[in-house]
Amino acid sequence: MRKLLMHACCAPCFVYIENDLRKNGLLLDGKYEKVEYTACFYNPNIHPKVEYERRKNTFKDFCAQKKCDFIVIDEYDLNGYIKYVVENVGKGKKYSYRCEYCYYMRLKKVFEYAKENNFDIVSTTLTISPYQNHDIIKKVGKKLEEEFGIEFIYIDYREHFREGQKMAREFGLYMQKYCGCVFSFDDGKWVY
Ligand code: SF4
């Protein structure tokens, strides 16, 4: 059975996907494949730190409750993220906007972990959210796939977003009101 490392941006976005992975497997080209899955929390730019801790702990509690394999890469780096965005993004350099860099730096770390620990596939729960830029996630994932030689699977879970949110509420999970970084906190809404 192939090993999947599923990047989890937060517990509420993981609920539907975890249930689907457990019951059916990973949906590949319209067919389910059973996989061994591990969820990986790596979201170092959540602001403020107390919110980071809250989302991280919600994720850990949820995984423990479901008895699903998980890891937390507990490296908080708000300063590094902000410095990079302010100095580089939108200035004709590598990343045209902050979310592209944000996807890249999170998924790169997940790929590194996958490489070191012999995973076959990487994916992310970001793709259940209608608020994220799916084309850019796909592009970033495919670039990392080439760089690391590990398959990146993009699945458009958006039609299940509301159901997932409902399931998360039923579990009594903490539900955040903004995407995560200080910019989205300041916006007060998920607009990029
Ligand atoms: S809005 Fe969300 S995806 Fe975009 S940079 Fe902020 S945390 Fe990352």
Side-chain angles (χ1 to χ4, degrees):
M1 202 183 291
R2 295 200 291 168
K3 283 174 66 183
L4 162 70
L5 188 59
M6 175 63 79
H7 167 246
C9 56
C10 62
C13 284
F14 184 43
V15 175
Y16 175 86
I17 294 172
E18 196 281 333
N19 192 54
D20 199 37
L21 287 171
R22 177 184 301 274
K23 282 193 175 153
N24 306 311
L26 191 62
L27 189 59
L28 299 167
D29 301 324
K31 276 178 64 182
Y32 278 108
E33 175 185 325
K34 284 283 184 190
V35 289
E36 259 179 55
Y37 61 94
T38 301
C40 173
F41 185 94
Y42 178 66
N43 304 290
N45 56 340
I46 293 170
H47 170 81
K49 181 86 189 296
V50 68
E51 174 73 14
Y52 169 80
E53 294 294 337
R54 196 168 187 192
R55 293 191 198 185
K56 181 184 78 181
N57 290 331
T58 303
F59 168 77
K60 286 165 71 176
D61 291 348
F62 173 72
C63 291
Q65 204 180 326
K66 298 301 287 185
K67 295 187 173 54
C68 101
D69 289 341
F70 71 94
I71 59 146
V72 171
I73 303 176
D74 198 4
E75 297 170 10
Y76 191 65
D77 188 23
L78 181 65
N79 287 342
Y81 163 76
I82 292 174
K83 189 169 184 301
Y84 189 93
V85 170
V86 169
E87 290 178 358
N88 295 279
V89 169
K91 297 187 176 145
K93 295 191 183 167
K94 209 167 171 183
Y95 304 99
S96 53
Y97 79 141
R98 69 170 190 259
C99 300
E100 183 173 4
Y101 173 65
C102 179
Y103 300 146
Y104 178 77
M105 63 93 181
R106 285 191 278 174
L107 289 178
K108 183 164 190 261
K109 180 70 81 176
V110 176
F111 267 90
E112 282 169 0
Y113 186 91
K115 189 86 183 170
E116 283 161 16
N117 293 279
N118 303 315
F119 282 86
D120 306 296
I121 309 166
V122 167
S123 192
T124 175
T125 61
L126 286 164
T127 60
I128 199 168
S129 170
Y131 302 105
Q132 303 293 349
N133 187 321
H134 285 231
D135 289 341
I136 299 288
I137 294 169
K138 214 183 301 179
K139 186 180 107 179
V140 165
K142 287 294 164 192
K143 185 171 176 290
L144 288 163
E145 174 179 280
E146 277 177 30
E147 195 178 322
F148 285 86
I150 296 174
E151 194 174 357
F152 176 76
I153 297 291
Y154 165 83
I155 298 176
D156 187 352
Y157 284 106
R158 278 176 288 193
E159 66 179 294
H160 305 291
F161 180 69
R162 298 285 160 215
E163 188 184 347
Q165 296 281 297
K166 185 168 172 279
M167 289 164 77
R169 271 191 292 275
E170 283 164 6
F171 271 111
L173 298 184
Y174 164 62
M175 313 278 287
Q176 66 269 7
K177 301 276 187 293
Y178 60 100
C179 190
C181 67
V182 64
F183 305 105
S184 61
F185 178 75
D186 190 45
D187 286 347
K189 55 188 185 301
W190 289 0
V191 174
Y192 308 126

